[in-house]
Amino acid sequence: KNQVEQSPQSLIILEGKNCTLQCNYTVSPFSNLRWYKQDTGRGPVSLTIMTFSENTKSNGRYTATLDADTKQSSLHITASQLSDSASYICVVILYGNNRLAFGKGNQVVVIP
Amino acid sequence: DTAVSQTPKYLVTQMGNDKSIKCEQNLGHDTMYWYKQDSKKFLKIMFSYNNKELIINETVPNRFSPKSPDKAHLNLHINSLELGDSAVYFCASSHSGGSGGGELFFGEGSRLTVL
């Protein structure tokens, strides 16, 4: 079983609407949790990095939250734009050896 | 002024051939990685080098041989290519150390298709 599970696997939303992506993890202890955006045909790009003691981190219209007690994180996209169409990957970094545990990504498609 | 650059971007080759993918970073990072992304978009670590030393080798077949001539370069050579090697290969780099390690910067990927 993967240590990082993301849901929904894919999502279609109308331009201008908000959406929330979920990431549940079993990795423990962990150093930090990251969200990456991967456009089609491109490499992943970092959106947010949160340490285990942080609850929320924003990057423009992207807001990530973290609940270390329930081992859940979410990425909220506000007022979606066509350019938000991408895969969003949740990554948890293991404490100590800094190994990365990747989720399979949430595929978001924004339609006009 | 690309941070992490890899070549070629596309590679189509026959089964059994040997091919190489090159990666260079100009960020001054001391750690470089190779990841494989399969058709299901799942990223899996293959190798990690820190200051030219191999630190992670994730049970990758020995047909795959990474080479790091210096801290800024990490090349991937693949012998006797198989159909299952078809994937997108991503190079990445970061600073090591610190809690959680440094931020990871990815290249644009090299799509390998084995026929």
Side-chain angles (χ1 to χ4, degrees), chain A:
Chain A
K1 188 172 175 13
N2 195 26
Q3 293 177 303
V4 180
E5 298 284 351
Q6 295 186 238
S7 62
Q9 185 176 352
S10 59
L11 182 64
I12 299 174
I13 58 173
L14 287 173
E15 187 179 11
K17 297 296 185 184
N18 304 335
C19 73
T20 300
L21 312 175
Q22 297 291 342
C23 173
N24 295 339
Y25 60 92
T26 59
V27 175
S28 182
F30 73 100
S31 307
N32 60 67
L33 184 147
R34 307 174 183 182
W35 282 92
Y36 285 83
K37 179 188 179 190
Q38 185 176 16
D39 293 316
T40 301
R42 308 294 296 272
V45 174
S46 179
L47 287 178
T48 62
I49 300 176
M50 291 182 290
T51 66
F52 64 89
S53 61
E54 293 181 290
N55 299 120
T56 186
K57 184 69 72 78
S58 289
N59 179 356
R61 292 179 298 101
Y62 300 101
T63 299
T65 65
L66 174 61
D67 186 336
D69 292 331
T70 61
K71 295 188 173 60
Q72 294 180 325
S73 176
S74 65
L75 182 69
H76 186 77
I77 305 175
T78 304
S80 60
Q81 300 177 358
L82 298 179
S83 60
D84 293 331
S85 295
S87 178
Y88 293 85
I89 304 170
C90 177
V91 184
V92 182
I93 288 74
L94 281 72
Y95 178 81
N97 60 15
N98 289 341
R99 290 284 185 111
L100 279 68
F102 284 82
K104 293 188 178 182
N106 306 97
Q107 185 66 47
V108 173
V109 176
V110 181
I111 58 175

Side-chain angles (χ1 to χ4, degrees), chain B residues 11 13-21 36 46-47 60-67 75-86 89 112 114:
Chain B
L11 189 53
T13 188
Q14 301 277 352
M15 240 180 4
N17 284 349
D18 304 337
K19 290 294 178 187
S20 292
I21 308 172
K36 179 180 180 180
M46 298 175 68
F47 301 102
V60 176
N62 57 16
R63 296 182 297 104
F64 292 78
S65 52
K67 282 188 172 51
N75 304 323
L76 183 64
H77 187 76
I78 316 171
N79 290 327
S80 303
L81 279 157
E82 301 177 356
L83 294 177
D85 297 332
S86 294
Y89 292 84
L112 171 66
V114 182

Side-chain angles (χ1 to χ4, degrees), chain B residues 4 6 23 25 29 31-35 74 90-94 104-107:
Chain B
V4 181
Q6 44 183 120
C23 179
Q25 54 95 4
H29 290 160
T31 305
M32 296 186 72
Y33 312 79
W34 276 109
Y35 285 88
L74 180 61
F90 285 97
C91 177
S93 72
S94 72
L104 209 56
F105 290 80
F106 285 87

